[in-house]
Amino acid sequence: MKNFFIILAMKVLNIILKICGKHGGNFLGKVAFDWNPEIFKYFKVTCPVIAVTATNGKTMTNNAIGSVLNTAGKKIISNKEGNNMETGILSTLLKSCTLSGKINADYLVFEVDEGYVPVVFKDFRLDTLVILDFFRDQLDRNGEVESLILKINDFLKTYTGNLLLNNDDPNVSRLGLANPDNKNVYYFSVDRYQYATNDMKEAGEGKFCPFCKTRLEYEYYQYSHIGKFKCPNCDYGNNKIYKQAKNINLSEMSFEIDDVLYKIKSNSIYIIYNFTAVVACCSLYNIDTKYIQETLANFELNNGRLEKLIIKDAPTVINLAKNPTGANVSLRLLNEDPDEKELLFVLNDNKADGFDVSWIWDINFDSLNNVKRVITAGTRGYDIAIRIKTAGFDENKIEAYLDLEQAVYALYSNTTKKYVIANYTSLQPTRKEILKLK
Ligand SMILES: [Zn+2]
């Protein structure tokens, strides 16, 4: 009875919020969760529940899986706006359930914050968990990446659903051994791409075997610590691969899985990893590859995740980077592009960003390829300017602004190609300033 009234109250509250023009975000879930922390048990779900977690790439992968299922004619419920903690997922469920807690959909697809997987799915069924990667991320908020992995490992000890893991991330593929009785562990991988290297070029974790502590041996690195590795001592890393992307073609923007060609709208290796996870996840549910092809050929997030725009005749790529790997992936794309370009880096240190900006020293700014000018902005715009100068970039070509509007105005004083990197709270304000010029 109590849960019935909680749901009723939240539905009324949702209507009031809507009338006031508010979206609700995490709010409904927060109120309901405070009222009854076990409310997740109350929902009656008969359809498959899919969750995506990672340090980077959750939103894109989650939304792409949802889009494929939509294209295949399935009704999905998803937290597409990225409210990915227990309160955000609960809000999504509260908005879509009946008063008796029944949820009518063909699939539930959720992006879940790495730290909240055990919280959300303690009392809520989970059929497929997709894990993309683990990187160092906002140390002052999240702590060491190892403690996060151990938390998920503990959760997985009793989990028997589908577990879809990135075999090329040693931090992720180790989780396949968390429950030796789980027969539903699947690994995905991406074959060597043209800019893979023999040495690690960027900050990375997981240099040692989690089982026998021997140093891992890499055949190649794709980016950060993602690559083809194995433990020379205990053979860790030698898994049977369920889906592997091959023939990665960045200029054609395509890859192949099981001889099916996927055309995409991006030339980033990082996105090909996300989409390989999408293909693998959808094939677990026997979704016809034609729906996946059709969706990926048109899929773009357009919310500052490798978003491409033309502003005042200048081709522009905007990307979120809230940790070193996110920034390094953007810079990799910039460096793989031979054209002349300019970089705008916006760095804030608001609460949601973490107050500690020391992570910028793990960004690889060495040898920026054909970058003619760097502009920095944000509450820590001077810190990032100093970081880039220290990496050896000519200081006369660096302009630091405290005012974002001025920075963006200066950036578009010419039509040279632009790469824009912004961290968490600076991303949307930066987009807004840029879109004003469109
Ligand atoms: Zn080992």
Side-chain angles (χ1 to χ4, degrees):
M1 229 25 201
K2 183 182 170 188
N3 290 317
F4 176 86
F5 281 112
I6 294 176
I7 292 178
L8 181 64
M10 291 310 110
K11 293 223 175 258
V12 173
L13 190 55
N14 190 31
I15 293 167
I16 296 169
L17 286 170
K18 263 191 194 156
I19 293 168
C20 302
K22 296 237 162 46
H23 179 257
N26 298 300
F27 183 65
L28 294 178
K30 173 145 187 18
V31 176
F33 197 74
D34 286 348
W35 210 334
N36 179 11
E38 298 203 325
I39 190 161
F40 275 105
K41 279 184 189 163
Y42 182 68
F43 295 104
K44 298 171 192 72
V45 181
T46 50
C47 68
V49 180
I50 299 169
V52 180
T53 197
T55 306
N56 292 338
K58 295 184 281 287
T59 305
M60 176 171 291
T61 307
N62 174 64
N63 291 15
I65 292 171
S67 287
V68 172
L69 294 171
N70 263 330
T71 308
K74 308 293 181 191
K75 183 186 179 216
I76 66 148
I77 291 169
S78 183
N79 57 341
K80 275 183 271 190
E81 289 81 21
N83 297 308
N84 61 20
M85 295 187 276
E86 90 286 25
T87 48
I89 290 160
L90 193 47
S91 292
T92 308
L93 292 171
L94 287 164
K95 284 180 199 168
S96 24
C97 70
T98 65
L99 286 177
S100 64
K102 196 164 183 308
I103 293 174
N104 295 311
D106 296 321
Y107 290 89
L108 303 189
V109 189
F110 293 122
E111 154 188 354
V112 186
D113 182 279
E114 314 86 277
Y116 286 85
V117 171
V119 182
V120 173
F121 297 107
K122 183 165 75 77
D123 295 325
F124 196 75
R125 208 188 75 228
L126 177 62
D127 300 279
T128 295
L129 178 63
V130 183
I131 309 182
L132 304 168
D133 52 55
F134 289 118
F135 300 110
R136 201 178 302 177
D137 180 35
Q138 302 180 342
L139 285 177
D140 55 339
R141 288 183 69 229
N142 295 332
E144 281 296 336
V145 68
E146 181 65 20
S147 58
L148 198 68
I149 297 167
L150 290 177
K151 251 200 238 175
I152 296 181
N153 193 72
D154 274 346
F155 167 78
L156 292 175
K157 280 178 182 168
T158 54
Y159 173 75
T160 53
N162 294 328
L163 185 58
L164 187 54
L165 302 172
N166 181 353
N167 192 63
D168 301 345
D169 183 343
N171 288 337
V172 172
S173 65
R174 64 190 268 195
L175 295 170
L177 296 165
N179 179 3
D181 293 331
N182 187 358
K183 302 286 177 253
N184 303 306
V185 180
Y186 301 88
Y187 297 93
F188 68 90
S189 166
V190 176
D191 200 7
R192 183 174 191 144
Y193 91 121
Q194 71 187 101
Y195 296 106
T197 51
N198 294 327
D199 305 305
M200 196 190 283
K201 294 287 180 204
E202 297 137 354
E205 314 286 326
K207 293 184 179 72
F208 296 94
C209 174
F211 301 103
C212 75
K213 311 297 173 204
T214 308
R215 197 179 181 90
L216 296 174
E217 285 178 355
Y218 274 75
E219 207 171 291
Y220 55 83
Y221 294 88
Q222 307 270 46
Y223 69 95
S224 187
H225 62 255
I226 307 293
K228 188 167 170 63
F229 70 90
K230 73 168 178 21
C231 172
N233 183 43
C234 73
D235 212 31
Y236 164 59
N238 189 16
N239 294 308
K240 186 169 168 269
I241 305 298
Y242 173 61
K243 295 288 166 194
Q244 185 177 38
K246 293 181 177 165
N247 298 327
I248 314 306
N249 189 330
L250 294 186
S251 49
E252 295 282 323
M253 298 198 281
S254 68
F255 62 91
E256 286 175 22
I257 295 178
D258 295 336
D259 297 324
V260 176
L261 180 75
Y262 294 93
K263 290 277 224 176
I264 57 175
K265 299 197 93 167
S266 169
N267 54 356
S268 163
I269 182 69
Y270 154 76
I271 287 190
I272 291 173
Y273 269 91
N274 294 345
F275 287 168
T276 304
V278 172
V279 174
C281 179
C282 292
S283 54
L284 284 176
Y285 291 98
N286 299 316
I287 302 297
D288 196 315
T289 51
K290 74 176 180 203
Y291 298 121
I292 310 176
Q293 284 174 305
E294 186 186 331
T295 307
L296 296 189
N298 298 300
F299 188 84
E300 280 180 302
L301 271 183
N302 291 335
N303 66 353
R305 266 86 166 184
L306 288 172
E307 182 175 9
K308 290 177 191 163
L309 298 161
I310 306 281
I311 305 291
K312 293 177 94 175
D313 293 331
T316 301
V317 181
I318 307 176
N319 199 22
L320 166 73
K322 53 192 172 65
N323 48 46
T325 304
N328 285 332
V329 163
S330 297
L331 290 175
R332 189 167 267 272
L333 204 60
L334 174 150
N335 286 325
E336 287 166 2
D337 178 355
D339 294 351
E340 194 170 273
K341 76 275 285 186
E342 298 186 332
L343 169 67
L344 168 64
F345 201 121
V346 189
L347 180 70
N348 278 352
D349 63 349
N350 295 321
K351 190 166 174 243
D353 302 305
F355 302 123
D356 174 9
V357 295
S358 63
W359 61 274
I360 61 175
W361 294 89
D362 282 333
I363 305 176
N364 182 9
F365 286 108
D366 298 351
S367 55
L368 292 174
N369 180 17
N370 208 359
V371 174
K372 295 297 159 193
R373 184 170 60 145
V374 170
I375 294 180
T376 68
T379 54
R380 300 299 286 267
Y382 286 102
D383 293 68
I384 193 72
I386 288 168
R387 169 66 189 98
I388 295 169
K389 178 190 161 192
T390 312
F393 191 80
D394 182 355
E395 64 180 291
N396 297 313
K397 295 180 184 168
I398 303 177
E399 298 171 23
Y401 293 84
L402 279 177
D403 185 274
L404 184 59
E405 189 178 358
Q406 280 178 19
V408 169
Y409 187 78
L411 181 71
Y412 288 98
S413 59
N414 60 50
T415 58
T416 307
K417 192 184 267 189
K418 317 293 180 197
Y419 280 81
V420 178
I421 302 176
N423 75 329
Y424 198 63
T425 67
S426 67
L427 179 68
Q428 293 312 328
T430 303
R431 274 187 86 228
K432 208 173 131 196
E433 286 302 333
I434 289 174
L435 289 169
K436 265 195 211 165
L437 300 179
K438 198 173 182 180

